[in-house]
Amino acid sequence: MSLWSLVSKMPPEKLQRLYVDFPQHLRHLLSDWLENQPWEFLVGSDTFCCNMASALLSATVQRLQASAGKQGEGSTILQHISTLESIYQRDPLKLVATFRQILQGEKKAVMEQFHHLPMPFHWKQEELKFNTALQRLQHRVGETRLLREALQPGAEAGQVPLRSLIDAPANGTGPREALATLLQETVGELEAAQALVLKRIQIWKRQQQLAGNGAPFEESLAPLQERCESLVDIYSQLQQEVGAAGGELEPKARAVLSSRLDEVLRSLVTSSFLVEKQPPQVLKTQTKFQAGVRFLLGLRFLGAPAKPPLVRADMVTEKQARELSMPQGPGAGAESTGEIINNTVALENSIPGNCCSALFKNLLLKKIKRCERKGTESVTEEKCAVLFSTSLALGPNKLPVQLQALSLPLVVIVHGNQDNNAKATILWDNAFSEMDRVPFVVAERVPWEKMCETLNLKFMAEVGTNRGLLPEHFLFLAQKIFNDNSLSMEAFQHRSVSWSQFNKEILLGRGFTFWQWFDGVLDLTKRCLRSYWSDRLIIGFISKQYVTSLLLNEPDGTFLLRFSDSEIGGITIAHVIRGQDGSPQIENIQPFSAKDLSIRSLGDRIRDLAQLKNLYPKKPKDEAFRSHYKRELGLAVLNLSSAHLFHTAPPPTHCMLSPTHVSVFGALFVQLAHQLCPLFPHPFLPSPGALHGSPFLPTTAEQMGKDGRGYVPATIKMTVERDQPLPTLEPQMPTMVPTYDLGMATESSMNMQLSPDMVSQVYPPHSHSMPSFQALSREDVLPTFQESHLQMPPNLSQINLPFDQPHPQGLLPCQSQEHAVSTPEPLLCSDVPMTEDSCLSQPVGGFPQGTWVGEDMFPPLLPPTEQDLTKLLLEGQGESGGGSLGTQPLLQPSHYGQSGISMSHLDLRANPSW
């Protein structure tokens, strides 16, 4: 964004007083071209300024004529341009002064209205300042050469008028004194230009450090290398002039000039050795890492030596880093505080890359030697750094130079549980350290506004979103870190936050610090909620009290998403329900962790919960979350004899099948689930007779499981999800499946215990219509096996119990040990975009084909006992019973406005700590 882009948005009457000496309509023709010229840096009336002013006048006239022609301006405008040229032709410096005044007035007006200037404008002005200083230096070197040649014996008479270029001192000194004065002024301008370069290098280092917190960063060192090389060229030319003018200069003056030039070179060389690729700022021992250094002047001084110099990497403490920053600090022999392996690399020129660098590819910190800590400082607050050092011989005189570059501060950890606190130390240091500080001093207390900027940068960078935090979010964060429930943002505007409040003091009523909680939110959002946050579906940073005030007057089913206050890395759903007295109540669902959302995504969980209707304020949930739903496929079920199923395959209760692999074996698994789990009917698992002709039935959206958080536990649900390979079953009949006597009552006795009315309520009718099911004969699917000791009731599907009751351990047969393999925790959640077709279709690494993987997917199955079944049936009739299930009525009034199955086991209970 240019300065003119803001000026053009302002009312013309505010700027009218600026255009007295230059017409306003002509200023509009110049637009942003005007601010890209060095008007503000041509101060003085010497030859250089006069020459630059004349060139700028010609460029201005050409620009005005070209702009007027493009915009179709009439001859009147062209006449004004011609008149303007004739006026300023006599004094081009007057035009420079006029434009300088206009630009200063425009900057002042922009600051008054917008309170800031565009950052690109600042960078452009800095570039113009250096380029103008470099052009002035080149002009001065040329003048010095001409004057020195004019003073040489035998110089032509025509060269004598060159002395008039030098402003003679008032005391009437001769040309030799004028040459010494010119050389001193030129060396002074070189020192000023060098200061601009060194400052720009410091800015680059500071930007690199801020990039560790997520700030944008232009990493290219090519512009800085070009500046350093241009100043070295000026240095070489001036060094030659001082040497050539030896007879014309006094020995003392020559020595002073040579000393100043050598100091310029030394500063440029030592400052141009930079850490281009920083090591990790949280560094774990016994872990490989990379780093790289770059020498901006390597192409000028190294050339192609027979043996390139070696760069060494050593670990240093904060105390050693401070000693290195002192003028008489220790050299390369400083004691290392840690043992780094593979710590030497050659510093070599790369002609194609136009750079001189050394890249450490296999560094490894083997061990660290801790130093004494200050006060209550913990291990994760102890800062170290990597020191990169090398020795060079510069110039024809082989002047030895020691180059050293210190990395950004880092924290060394030995265990992963130290990572969180170490990141807090680095975040604080990166955000609030100053340029040219004493290593590694940082403020203990900073303004809250700066902390807000830091948290916003970190959140956007870590999550990978362009949606930052809002003022309402900062208000909640301020209430949390200051333990102050003020509702006014102004109450926190001028407050400051300390390092202790950030990551040492435990939050009131919690077991963690502010940063530990915030970092948990970062991790959860990055892994599972990026797309939801980017779509502004998550309010997130909001207190429970404020949620209540927002939702209390909303209709039933209105909900919003917020980050949990009581758990690290949890997100909860707050929604409106009606109490037994009809009054609105706010309930908070038990928070979901990243592990929960890796099992089933947030969008699918919201779809599963029927009581959630509208995302606050009034957006239907399907409209808000439709793009985040995962398509699911139903099940193909065949009505096979239960006697056959116990000999077909191990009885899994959660099948992950691809639509292209669903076969008769999938049907066998589903039928097996009906026979093994008839006591837990659920709309997701329809009866076998309802699925004939519809092999892939979509799941019911309103399904709800035992934990009330949008998914049914694996022990009572079988799902078929897309793009999952079907385990290959062995053709031979498995022999490890146990057979046992269920000891069940006859069908008639069960019908006597469960009335038809209760059966119809337990089995909710399907909203979809299905053609009638025609059973296949045994011979069409599997051969007949006779097991005299296996007794089954005629129709197990008539045994009914509420699906929200927990499984008794005695109902399910044990799983074979060879299949009891734990599944590694997924690294990405189900809503993270990835190439599913190429990834999910691959076999599970480390497991043979046909092996069922995951203890969570297939819980242990134990044979039921007669006592277990008797307890369940008695409870179904409302009789008293003991055991793990407790005594609860089968049906009770629903809190959600409809009769349904008991919700007593759901995790939708109002928990004051969530």
Side-chain angles (χ1 to χ4, degrees):
M1 180 182 292
S2 62
L3 179 68
W4 177 251
S5 63
L6 297 180
V7 171
S8 59
K9 297 177 182 178
M10 300 178 65
E13 55 271 11
K14 282 191 174 183
L15 303 171
Q16 191 172 5
R17 57 184 176 82
L18 297 177
Y19 309 113
V20 177
D21 298 327
F22 191 81
Q24 188 171 7
H25 61 278
L26 295 183
R27 169 67 183 96
H28 281 264
L29 291 178
L30 292 175
S31 64
D32 57 357
W33 178 86
L34 189 68
E35 65 193 66
N36 294 328
Q37 310 306 317
W39 310 104
E40 298 192 47
F41 309 113
L42 295 177
V43 182
S45 57
D46 56 10
T47 307
F48 172 75
C49 290
C50 291
N51 293 342
M52 288 288 292
S54 299
L56 287 172
L57 174 61
S58 301
T60 302
V61 171
Q62 294 177 6
R63 179 75 179 185
L64 287 171
Q65 292 173 346
S67 299
K70 289 180 180 179
Q71 299 182 17
E73 300 288 351
S75 58
T76 305
I77 298 296
L78 296 177
Q79 185 177 358
H80 288 169
I81 295 173
S82 179
T83 304
L84 188 69
E85 181 181 12
S86 61
I87 292 174
Y88 290 107
Q89 191 71 46
R90 296 187 294 269
D91 188 4
L93 289 175
K94 185 177 180 181
L95 178 68
V96 173
T98 299
F99 282 155
R100 182 165 58 243
Q101 183 179 4
I102 289 175
L103 286 175
Q104 289 175 351
E106 290 178 347
K107 287 192 295 183
K108 183 179 179 180
V110 168
M111 285 295 296
E112 290 176 354
Q113 180 160 343
F114 300 99
H115 307 291
H116 70 91
L117 295 176
M119 186 57 65
F121 174 77
H122 285 293
W123 288 122
K124 186 62 179 179
Q125 293 296 299
E126 193 271 340
E127 183 181 353
L128 287 172
K129 184 176 183 180
F130 176 80
N131 290 339
T132 304
L134 186 61
Q135 293 177 25
R136 185 189 293 273
L137 273 171
Q138 293 169 345
H139 178 80
R140 285 300 186 99
V141 170
E143 284 185 338
T144 303
R145 183 182 302 108
L146 293 177
L147 182 57
R148 177 184 56 78
E149 291 176 352
L151 294 176
Q152 294 295 330
E156 298 180 3
Q159 293 179 326
V160 176
L162 291 174
R163 302 173 193 173
S164 61
L165 296 174
I166 308 300
D167 296 330
N171 57 5
T173 54
R176 285 179 172 79
E177 289 78 3
L179 177 61
T181 301
L182 181 59
L183 282 171
Q184 291 174 359
E185 292 177 354
T186 306
V187 172
E189 292 179 3
L190 176 62
E191 292 170 340
Q194 172 212 288
L196 293 177
V197 172
L198 297 184
K199 182 179 180 180
R200 186 66 186 87
I201 290 176
Q202 291 297 326
I203 293 174
W204 184 89
K205 289 181 178 180
R206 179 62 182 145
Q207 287 181 316
Q208 186 187 47
Q209 186 175 19
L210 289 174
N213 287 354
F217 175 48
E218 177 56 48
E219 299 184 34
S220 176
L221 284 168
L224 278 176
Q225 179 173 318
E226 184 178 349
R227 291 190 183 190
C228 291
E229 291 175 346
S230 62
L231 290 188
V232 168
D233 292 341
I234 297 294
Y235 158 83
S236 300
Q237 296 174 24
L238 283 176
Q239 188 75 13
Q240 292 176 3
E241 293 301 321
V242 171
E248 309 297 333
L249 299 174
E250 295 182 0
K252 185 177 180 180
R254 186 171 64 251
V256 170
L257 289 174
S258 298
S259 175
R260 291 172 64 185
L261 288 173
D262 289 343
E263 180 62 24
V264 168
L265 179 63
R266 187 198 65 80
S267 296
L268 280 176
V269 170
T270 55
S271 300
S272 62
F273 188 62
L274 304 173
V275 183
E276 185 176 22
K277 180 180 177 60
Q278 291 285 345
Q281 288 192 268
V282 177
L283 184 60
K284 190 173 183 294
T285 57
Q286 301 297 332
T287 303
K288 288 187 177 181
F289 64 97
Q290 294 186 352
V293 294
R294 182 164 172 178
F295 184 31
L296 300 182
L297 294 175
L299 296 177
R300 284 286 190 272
F301 292 107
L302 289 185
K307 185 178 180 181
L310 293 179
V311 181
R312 179 183 174 89
D314 294 288
M315 188 70 65
V316 294
T317 63
E318 181 175 346
K319 180 181 178 181
Q320 290 172 326
R322 291 181 183 180
E323 295 173 352
L324 290 169
S325 64
M326 298 178 182
Q328 286 79 28
E335 181 183 359
S336 177
T337 188
E339 181 181 351
I340 300 180
I341 300 176
N342 304 322
N343 65 334
T344 56
V345 174
L347 182 65
E348 297 178 325
N349 287 330
S350 173
I351 303 302
N354 192 33
C355 64
C356 177
S357 60
L359 178 61
F360 296 81
K361 297 182 179 180
N362 294 296
L363 291 172
L364 185 141
L365 180 60
K366 189 174 182 181
K367 61 181 180 180
I368 183 70
K369 184 170 62 177
R370 301 289 185 184
C371 60
E372 294 184 3
R373 293 184 290 275
K374 300 170 290 185
T376 60
E377 186 180 65
S378 65
V379 172
T380 55
E381 296 177 76
E382 180 183 341
K383 289 177 277 191
C384 305
V386 178
L387 174 66
F388 300 93
S389 58
T390 187
S391 298
L392 300 176
L394 301 181
N397 297 329
K398 302 297 182 180
L399 180 67
V401 176
Q402 181 73 30
L403 299 182
Q404 294 179 338
L406 206 60
S407 74
L408 292 175
L410 53 89
V411 175
V412 177
I413 62 175
V414 297
H415 195 279
N417 59 13
Q418 299 173 320
D419 181 75
N420 179 275
N421 292 325
K423 287 193 296 185
T425 301
I426 295 302
L427 179 76
W428 187 277
D429 190 271
N430 287 345
F432 308 122
S433 62
E434 301 289 341
M435 291 192 300
D436 296 327
R437 63 169 174 172
V438 176
F440 297 110
V441 177
V442 65
E444 281 289 327
R445 185 174 289 273
V446 296
W448 172 245
E449 289 185 347
K450 286 189 175 182
M451 175 59 71
C452 291
E453 296 174 4
T454 300
L455 295 177
N456 188 46
L457 267 179
K458 185 66 175 178
F459 186 90
M460 295 175 65
E462 193 80 10
V463 174
T465 178
N466 56 1
R467 299 279 191 175
L469 304 182
L470 302 176
E472 294 79 5
H473 299 151
F474 292 130
L475 175 61
F476 167 75
L477 294 175
Q479 293 172 343
K480 196 172 190 69
I481 197 171
F482 292 116
N483 189 27
D484 187 341
N485 293 326
S486 300
L487 298 179
S488 172
M489 296 184 184
E490 289 75 14
F492 305 104
Q493 195 169 14
H494 302 292
R495 296 183 67 170
S496 60
V497 59
S498 67
W499 162 249
S500 295
Q501 290 172 313
F502 182 68
N503 194 46
K504 289 183 76 71
E505 298 175 2
I506 302 299
L507 293 176
L508 184 64
R510 308 299 180 200
F512 43 80
T513 65
F514 173 84
W515 165 252
Q516 290 168 351
W517 173 84
F518 187 82
D519 187 53
V521 169
L522 287 181
D523 182 69
L524 174 70
T525 311
K526 174 179 65 175
R527 293 173 57 186
C528 304
L529 304 176
R530 179 190 298 114
S531 58
Y532 300 90
W533 177 269
S534 299
D535 292 343
R536 289 301 189 196
L537 301 176
I538 300 175
I539 294 181
F541 300 100
I542 182 172
S543 65
K544 183 183 294 186
Q545 294 77 12
Y546 193 37
V547 167
T548 301
S549 65
L550 288 180
L551 296 182
L552 205 55
N553 297 324
E554 296 296 328
D556 292 359
T558 303
F559 68 97
L560 57 78
L561 304 170
R562 69 177 187 88
F563 297 121
S564 172
D565 274 337
S566 60
E567 294 187 11
I568 295 179
I571 186 168
T572 185
I573 304 175
H575 64 102
V576 183
I577 65 169
R578 291 287 163 181
Q580 294 182 354
D581 58 353
S583 62
Q585 297 180 1
I586 309 301
E587 284 196 354
N588 293 272
I589 296 177
Q590 179 180 345
F592 303 116
S593 65
K595 184 176 182 179
D596 296 328
L597 298 180
S598 67
I599 298 172
R600 187 163 180 81
S601 70
L602 180 63
D604 290 338
R605 292 174 182 271
I606 292 175
R607 177 176 57 177
D608 295 343
L609 297 173
Q611 69 270 26
L612 305 182
K613 296 180 176 61
N614 295 317
L615 180 66
Y616 179 84
K618 299 184 184 301
K619 193 170 186 179
K621 74 173 183 181
D622 288 338
E623 178 184 342
F625 292 92
R626 180 175 291 111
S627 62
H628 301 279
Y629 291 161
K630 295 291 184 183
R631 293 179 301 170
E632 291 188 345
L633 300 176
L635 303 170
V637 180
L638 300 177
N639 188 14
L640 300 179
S641 171
S642 59
H644 297 164
L645 296 172
F646 279 94
H647 298 273
T648 303
T653 59
H654 189 116
C655 304
M656 305 295 291
L657 305 179
S658 169
T660 60
H661 292 89
V662 173
S663 65
V664 66
F665 293 102
L668 296 180
F669 298 151
V670 176
Q671 181 66 13
L672 182 61
H674 273 288
Q675 301 297 340
L676 285 180
C677 307
L679 306 181
F680 301 88
H682 190 269
F684 180 83
L685 191 61
S687 62
L691 292 179
H692 178 67
S694 180
F696 307 118
L697 175 66
T699 58
T700 306
E702 292 81 355
Q703 56 185 301
M704 185 184 305
K706 172 180 176 298
D707 70 349
R709 301 186 295 174
Y711 72 92
V712 182
T715 55
I716 60 173
K717 182 185 76 171
M718 296 180 63
T719 62
V720 179
E721 298 203 8
R722 57 190 177 96
D723 298 327
Q724 296 291 338
L726 175 67
T728 304
L729 298 178
E730 298 295 336
Q732 66 273 16
M733 201 58 56
T735 60
M736 75 290 294
V737 180
T739 58
Y740 38 77
D741 189 350
L742 296 178
M744 296 185 180
T746 62
E747 181 179 1
S748 58
S749 62
M750 296 181 185
N751 285 335
M752 292 174 59
Q753 296 175 0
L754 295 179
S755 64
D757 295 336
M758 298 179 68
V759 173
S760 63
Q761 287 179 303
V762 174
Y763 276 99
H766 294 289
S767 59
H768 47 269
S769 61
M770 286 294 160
S772 60
F773 178 84
Q774 298 177 359
L776 298 177
S777 65
R778 300 181 177 183
E779 291 75 16
D780 292 338
V781 182
L782 291 173
T784 303
F785 293 88
Q786 300 295 334
E787 294 288 345
S788 57
H789 63 279
L790 181 63
Q791 302 177 8
M792 300 288 293
N795 190 350
L796 291 180
S797 62
Q798 297 181 9
I799 301 178
N800 304 298
L801 276 182
F803 70 88
D804 63 325
Q805 297 285 1
H807 264 292
Q809 290 299 318
L811 278 179
L812 303 174
C814 295
Q815 186 183 4
S816 175
Q817 288 299 322
E818 61 178 309
H819 299 301
V821 183
S822 60
T823 304
E825 182 179 345
L827 298 179
L828 294 176
C829 295
S830 55
D831 70 318
V832 177
M834 58 186 299
T835 54
E836 299 179 5
D837 291 338
S838 62
C839 298
L840 299 182
S841 61
Q842 299 299 323
V844 179
F847 303 105
Q849 290 293 330
T851 301
W852 292 99
V853 181
E855 293 177 349
D856 296 337
M857 189 180 299
F858 309 114
L861 304 178
L862 299 175
T865 63
E866 183 176 357
Q867 290 79 4
D868 291 328
L869 295 177
T870 302
K871 290 178 183 179
L872 290 174
L873 295 175
L874 289 176
E875 291 169 7
Q877 302 176 65
E879 298 177 7
S880 61
S884 60
L885 296 179
T887 59
Q888 297 183 12
L890 182 64
L891 297 175
Q892 55 180 301
S894 171
H895 297 295
Y896 302 97
Q898 60 183 4
S899 176
I901 301 173
S902 169
M903 310 288 273
S904 60
H905 286 285
L906 299 183
D907 285 332
L908 297 177
R909 55 191 181 276
N911 189 333
S913 67
W914 293 334

